[in-house]
């Protein structure tokens, strides 16, 4: 048990971070934007040779221009279903269920005898969308109202409302209509804007930090000044009420507009205001000028130039450039923590019952870690891929074998432990594992080795005697035969019809999906699905966008697993639902139509030639005389059936021909042989 958690410790030091990613075109646009900004700033420096002296003089003015703030650690609010975690630096991280309309209370104690203002800091966190500081899908938030109550520390029950006189923030975006994703069906005009909106007492307004893509997901701060100081001889108990009512009508991750990570501080100094300097610039000013990197100098200059009134025109030009920054998309990544978390043995596996702390390590019965190697994921990865590791190469070889033969040499490819199946050919498994390692762990070499083998190139035909003796082909006396995986079934239809888009990489595709699946109760919350058109509609099935809680139905019918857990070995079923899907699902229908037209236009001059052409595209062989006769009879009947004028068709193709060949193509695409690997 200890060794299990020591192994886990290697992986327990990461965040499942959510970062912004950009297409190649967007990356080029970003590069052009940054280049133009640098050119404008270089022009300013050229026109003002003494810019560095002027900037240093400004630094001396603002370096010590800070108030004394004291961080207060609140009691965590547990209401409303949203979880809050109190972190070491006194900040609060919101997680779990995300209500879209709620007020959270955070109570703090302060020994200051007089409190004049409170500061609300919004902080980044790798666990938030795009690092936050908000919980919306863009990492932003909307603070509808900020309220405060106060009571003496020696009489906490005597709470009274504290009037906030004014508020300042280091960012005050222009007024903006709330995005449609946050529609609450109230038909009210709801807006976001400057910090004043957080203290105006109106439910329709909120403070936001959204200044556009590329600049919004950074730490921010707001300061709320009391009309009358809170003064108690023995300190005070303050309760901060954060009203967040600018989410959508349905509480879920997509429609929430909540704060993500935040921290409270108080001060007793008069006339408090929010520090206008961005957090990263303030941090650079703490470094002596001679020790700063060129990038740090440029960062300070990038803010300082905005304070120079004589550079108003250049600043406006740079602002206009930033408004062209692409929004990009979000992507989950595994990101190492700056400060690795401590790993504990969990009593009975319960994360709420941590036991003895453990350090990263490997099981003692296996080969040891390299000497003096740091306890990192990279060290663990090298240990796993070491020739002395007894299992890694075997597991990978077995999974590749499973992909080709339907069943691995070890049938339980997800389990190589004491309760796994024994390998059908243990010496072959070992030999392949050694070959794999000696060929540089090259999967390409492994694939080539298997597909060029006599074992793989056998016929899959089976005699009654062999079927009785070895129904599962564990003795490898014949070639593999099994229904293709879900994604391949769809790709076969696309390829046979000529519709397959062979583009590799790029964004996910959104093929047709029944609209009701995107709404409750099928989906927990409403989801958006911008159906792909043109070639993107016919991309390989592996590029189909899938929600974790909402599998794509056409693939699920063919046993594609859900996206909420890892799956090494898929089950294979044979159900009427699969036939219904392949006969009627929109893309499969479009494949049948395309194959029918392709047979008419490219298959030859006679129906017999066209049938052979279409048949070969589906199953890679010519039809037998019996098969041909049956299908030509079907074609004749369907031609007689269809007589209505149809859509625009290639020259020389009638609607009756197209419809009849579509029916025949549906049959061909639904043959057992079409979707079976043999």
């Amino acid at each position: 048990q200890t060794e299990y958690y020591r192994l886990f410790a290697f992986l327990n030091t990461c965040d499942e971070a959510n970062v912004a990613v950009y297409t190649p075109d967007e990356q080029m646009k970003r590069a052009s934007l940054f280049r133009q900004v640098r050119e404008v700033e270089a022009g300013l420096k050229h026109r003002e040779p003494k810019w560095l002296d002027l900037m240093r003089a400004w630094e001396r003015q603002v370096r010590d221009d800070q108030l004394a703030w004291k961080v207060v650690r609140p009691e965590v609010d547990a209401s409303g279903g949203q979880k809050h975690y109190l972190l070491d630096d006194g900040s609060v991280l919101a997680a779990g269920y995300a209500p879209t309309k709620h007020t959270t209370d955070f109570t703090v104690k302060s020994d200051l005898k007089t409190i004049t203002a409170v500061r609300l800091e919004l902080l980044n966190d790798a666990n938030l969308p795009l690092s936050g500081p908000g919980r919306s899908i863009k990492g932003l938030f909307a603070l509808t109202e900020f309220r405060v109550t106060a009571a003496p520390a020696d009489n906490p029950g005597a709470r009274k409302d504290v009037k906030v006189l004014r508020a300042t923030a280091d960012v005050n975006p222009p007024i903006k209509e709330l995005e449609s994703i946050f529609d609450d069906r109230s038909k009210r005009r709801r807006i976001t804007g400057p910090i004043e909106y957080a203290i105006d007492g109106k439910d329709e307004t909120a403070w936001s930090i959204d200044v556009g893509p590329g600049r919004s997901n950074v730490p921010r701060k707001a300061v709320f000044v009391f009309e009358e100081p809170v003064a108690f001889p023995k300190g005070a108990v303050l309760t901060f009420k954060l009203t967040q009512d600018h989410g959508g009508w349905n509480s879920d991750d997509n429609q929430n507009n909540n704060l993500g990570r935040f921290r409270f501080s108080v001060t007793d100094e008069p006339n408090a205001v929010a520090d206008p300097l961005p957090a990263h610039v303030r941090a650079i000013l703490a470094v002596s000028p001679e020790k700063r990197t060129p990038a740090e100098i440029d960062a300070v200059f990038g803010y300082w130039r905005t304070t120079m009134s004589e550079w108003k025109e250049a600043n406006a030009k740079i602002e206009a450039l930033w408004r062209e920054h692409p929004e990009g998309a979000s992507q989950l990544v595994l990101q190492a923590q700056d400060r690795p978390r401590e790993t504990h043995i969990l009593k009975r596996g319960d994360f709420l019952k941590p036991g003895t702390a453990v350090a990263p390590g490997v099981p003692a019965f296996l080969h040891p870690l390299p000497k003096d190697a740091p306890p990192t994921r990279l060290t663990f990865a090298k240990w796993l891929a070491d020739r002395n590791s007894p299992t890694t190469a075997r597991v990978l070889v077995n999974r590749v074998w499973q992909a080709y033969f339907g069943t691995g040499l070890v049938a339980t490819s997800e389990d190589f432990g004491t309760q796994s199946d024994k390998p059908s050919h243990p010496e072959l498994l070992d030999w392949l594992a050694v070959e794999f390692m000696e060929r540089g762990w090259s999967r390409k070499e492994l694939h080539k080795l298997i597909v060029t083998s006599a074992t793989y190139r056998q016929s899959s035909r089976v005699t009654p005697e062999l079927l009785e003796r070895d129904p599962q082909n564990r003795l490898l006396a014949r070639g593999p035969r099994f229904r293709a995986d879900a994604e391949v079934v769809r790709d076969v239809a696309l390829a046979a019809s000529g519709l397959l888009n062979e583009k590799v990489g790029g964004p996910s595709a959104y093929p047709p999906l029944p609209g009701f699946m995107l709404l409750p109760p099928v989906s927990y919350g409403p989801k958006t699905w911008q159906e792909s058109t043109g070639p993107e509609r016919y991309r390989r099935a592996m590029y189909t966008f899938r929600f974790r809680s909402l599998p794509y139905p056409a693939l699920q019918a063919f046993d594609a697993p859900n996206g909420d857990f890892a799956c090494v070995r898929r089950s294979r079923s044979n159900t009427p639902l699969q036939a219904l899907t392949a006969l009627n699902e929109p893309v499969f229908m479009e494949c049948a139509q395309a194959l029918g037209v392709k047979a008419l236009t490219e298959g030859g001059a006679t129906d017999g030639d066209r049938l052979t052409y279409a048949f070969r595209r589906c199953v890679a062989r010519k039809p037998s005389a019996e098969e041909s006769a049956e299908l030509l009879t079907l074609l004749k009947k369907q031609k007689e059936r269809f007589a209505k004028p149809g859509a625009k068709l290639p020259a020389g193709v009638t609607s009756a021909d197209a419809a009849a060949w579509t029916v025949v193509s549906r049959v061909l695409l639904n043959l057992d042989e079409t979707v079976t690997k043999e």
Side-chain angles (χ1 to χ4, degrees):
Q1 187 182 42
T2 299
E3 289 179 334
Y4 172 88
Y5 284 102
R6 291 192 68 190
L7 205 64
F8 172 61
F10 281 111
L11 309 176
N12 193 31
T13 59
C14 300
D15 291 310
E16 292 186 11
N18 187 305
V19 300
V21 294
Y22 303 93
T23 65
D25 288 343
E26 289 174 333
Q27 290 176 6
M28 292 179 63
K29 188 172 184 179
R30 275 166 47 89
S32 175
L33 185 154
F34 298 151
R35 175 181 53 78
Q36 293 178 72
V37 170
R38 288 194 299 269
E39 289 175 354
V40 175
E41 292 185 338
L44 293 175
K45 294 176 182 178
H46 179 73
R47 291 194 297 272
E48 179 50 80
K50 297 182 179 180
W51 67 269
L52 187 57
D53 294 333
L54 293 172
M55 189 172 77
R56 295 280 170 78
W58 167 81
E59 287 183 28
R60 288 190 290 272
Q61 292 178 352
V62 302
R63 185 178 294 118
D64 300 323
D65 187 18
Q66 295 188 82
L67 297 176
W69 292 97
K70 185 173 183 180
V71 173
V72 286
R73 297 174 64 86
E75 297 176 9
V76 175
D77 186 305
S79 64
Q82 181 171 259
K83 293 184 179 297
H84 295 103
Y85 298 94
L86 186 60
L87 307 184
D88 292 342
D89 63 352
S91 63
V92 176
L93 178 65
Y97 171 75
T100 53
K101 290 193 174 186
H102 64 122
T103 298
T104 51
D105 295 354
F106 298 93
T107 299
V108 303
K109 294 181 180 179
S110 173
D111 55 6
L112 289 180
K113 296 180 180 180
T114 302
I115 300 175
T116 59
V118 58
R119 180 179 66 181
L120 174 65
E121 294 177 273
L122 290 310
L123 307 172
N124 290 128
D125 193 281
N127 294 290
L128 296 172
L130 301 181
S131 296
R135 292 194 69 190
S136 81
I137 57 175
K138 295 182 179 180
L140 304 178
F141 66 87
L143 179 59
T144 308
E145 284 293 316
F146 182 87
R147 298 183 178 90
V148 184
T149 64
D154 54 352
N155 187 14
R159 291 193 300 176
K160 291 185 178 181
D161 292 338
V162 178
K163 181 175 177 56
V164 176
L165 178 63
R166 64 178 181 275
T168 55
D170 63 347
V171 64
N172 289 282
I175 297 174
K176 181 181 178 182
E177 300 283 344
L178 204 58
E179 294 182 57
S180 59
I181 194 172
F182 303 122
D183 177 27
D184 67 349
R185 298 183 174 178
S186 66
K187 298 183 179 180
R188 297 178 300 167
R189 181 175 180 261
R190 301 156 75 215
I191 58 176
T192 59
I195 187 61
E196 288 80 13
Y197 281 179
I199 58 170
D200 63 359
K202 298 179 181 178
D203 293 337
E204 296 82 11
T205 62
W207 175 51
S208 169
I209 61 170
D210 186 5
V211 291
R215 296 186 296 172
S216 294
N217 301 106
V218 296
R220 293 295 185 184
K221 61 191 86 71
V223 169
F224 302 90
V225 178
F226 302 153
E227 184 177 55
E228 296 290 340
V230 172
F232 299 111
K234 295 184 179 181
V237 175
L238 301 178
T239 298
F240 308 122
K241 296 178 177 292
L242 305 180
T243 299
Q244 299 160 79
D245 283 351
H246 274 61
W249 65 270
N250 186 71
S251 291
D252 67 8
D253 288 347
N254 292 329
Q255 294 193 18
N256 95 85
N257 209 1
N258 302 341
L259 279 70
R261 183 181 174 189
F262 46 93
R263 180 169 58 195
F264 303 102
S265 306
V266 295
T267 186
D268 57 1
E269 297 191 27
N271 303 317
V273 294
D275 183 5
L277 272 66
H280 73 283
V281 173
R282 179 63 73 183
I284 294 172
L285 294 188
V287 179
S288 59
E290 61 273 9
K291 293 183 179 180
R292 294 176 194 167
T293 66
E296 290 174 333
I297 295 172
D298 289 342
V300 175
F301 181 86
Y303 174 76
W304 171 66
R305 63 168 171 76
T306 66
T307 68
M308 303 290 285
S309 58
E310 56 267 40
W311 289 348
K312 181 178 179 181
E313 183 178 342
N315 289 329
K317 184 177 181 179
I318 291 175
E319 187 66 25
L321 287 170
W322 271 107
R323 285 196 288 270
E324 298 177 8
H325 191 287
E327 186 169 332
S330 61
Q331 178 64 50
L332 281 172
V333 296
L334 202 63
Q335 181 173 298
Q337 295 179 323
D338 295 331
R339 182 181 175 186
R341 66 170 62 89
E342 194 171 57
T343 299
H344 295 259
I345 296 175
L346 304 180
K347 298 177 182 178
R348 301 184 66 82
D350 188 346
F351 73 95
L352 296 175
K353 297 177 181 178
T356 306
V358 295
V362 297
F365 73 93
L366 298 175
H367 68 101
L369 290 168
K371 290 184 178 180
D372 303 322
T376 63
R377 287 175 55 233
L378 180 59
T379 296
F380 179 51
K382 290 180 177 179
W383 177 85
L384 274 177
D386 191 286
R387 285 181 63 89
N388 291 317
S389 294
T391 308
T392 308
R394 286 189 179 97
V395 167
L396 201 147
V397 162
N398 192 65
R399 292 186 185 181
V400 173
W401 188 274
Q402 175 182 269
Y404 282 116
F405 287 87
T407 303
L409 293 170
V410 176
T412 55
S413 53
E414 75 285 359
D415 183 359
F416 267 58
T418 57
Q419 298 186 35
S420 70
D421 278 7
K422 292 182 179 180
S424 59
H425 298 73
E427 293 180 358
L428 175 59
L429 179 64
D430 286 349
W431 182 82
L432 284 171
V434 172
E435 284 291 311
F436 178 51
M437 291 187 288
E438 290 188 346
R439 298 188 186 203
W441 297 77
S442 169
R443 294 194 185 207
K444 184 175 182 179
E445 288 287 328
L446 178 61
H447 287 296
K448 183 178 179 181
L449 182 63
I450 293 176
V451 300
T452 57
S453 68
T455 302
Y456 180 74
R457 291 186 294 172
Q458 295 179 103
S459 169
S460 58
R461 293 180 181 176
V462 58
T463 63
E465 296 79 15
L466 194 57
L467 182 64
E468 182 179 359
R469 180 183 176 189
D470 184 20
Q472 301 301 321
N473 195 30
R474 299 297 286 150
L475 300 179
L476 304 177
R478 58 185 183 274
R481 188 183 194 282
F482 56 92
R483 197 211 71 221
D485 286 333
E487 293 84 353
V488 179
V489 170
R490 185 175 183 272
D491 290 354
V492 164
L494 289 169
S497 68
L499 292 177
L500 181 65
N501 177 358
E502 297 186 1
K503 174 183 174 184
V504 175
S508 298
Y510 294 80
L513 184 75
F516 72 87
M517 296 195 68
L518 304 170
L519 300 171
V522 179
S523 172
Y524 170 73
K527 293 177 170 60
T528 57
W529 188 274
Q530 296 296 328
E531 187 172 306
S532 299
T533 58
E536 293 298 308
R537 185 182 184 93
Y538 306 119
R539 298 201 66 192
R540 288 182 174 91
M542 67 175 290
Y543 294 111
T544 300
F545 186 90
R546 274 173 267 184
F547 291 102
R548 182 174 58 182
S549 59
L550 186 66
Y552 189 70
L555 299 181
Q556 192 179 33
F558 288 93
D559 306 311
N562 293 350
D564 54 354
F565 58 88
C567 178
V568 174
R569 179 171 54 135
R570 297 185 182 187
S571 61
R572 282 193 177 87
S573 63
N574 188 0
T575 69
L577 186 60
Q578 294 168 353
L580 287 171
T581 299
L583 284 168
N584 300 296
E585 195 270 338
V587 169
F588 279 95
M589 276 296 299
E590 291 166 13
C591 288
Q593 292 166 351
L595 179 59
V597 172
K598 202 171 188 66
L600 281 166
T601 56
E602 302 177 19
T606 68
D607 284 343
D609 291 340
R610 294 164 184 160
L611 178 63
T612 299
Y613 173 81
F615 198 93
R616 290 189 68 190
R617 290 188 67 89
C618 292
V619 300
R621 67 173 177 85
K622 294 181 180 180
S624 65
E626 292 81 7
E627 291 168 333
S628 183
E630 186 72 27
L631 291 168
L632 288 173
T633 299
L634 173 65
L635 177 66
K636 181 181 178 181
K637 289 181 179 179
Q638 296 304 317
K639 280 185 178 181
E640 294 171 353
R641 175 187 171 198
F642 295 109
K644 297 180 181 179
K648 186 177 180 181
L649 297 167
V653 176
T654 67
S655 59
D657 282 339
W661 275 102
T662 296
V663 172
V664 173
S665 296
R666 290 176 78 199
V667 173
L668 294 177
L669 292 174
N670 280 272
L671 292 175
D672 173 73
E673 193 173 341
T674 301
V675 298
T676 300
K677 172 183 172 59
E678 61 182 327

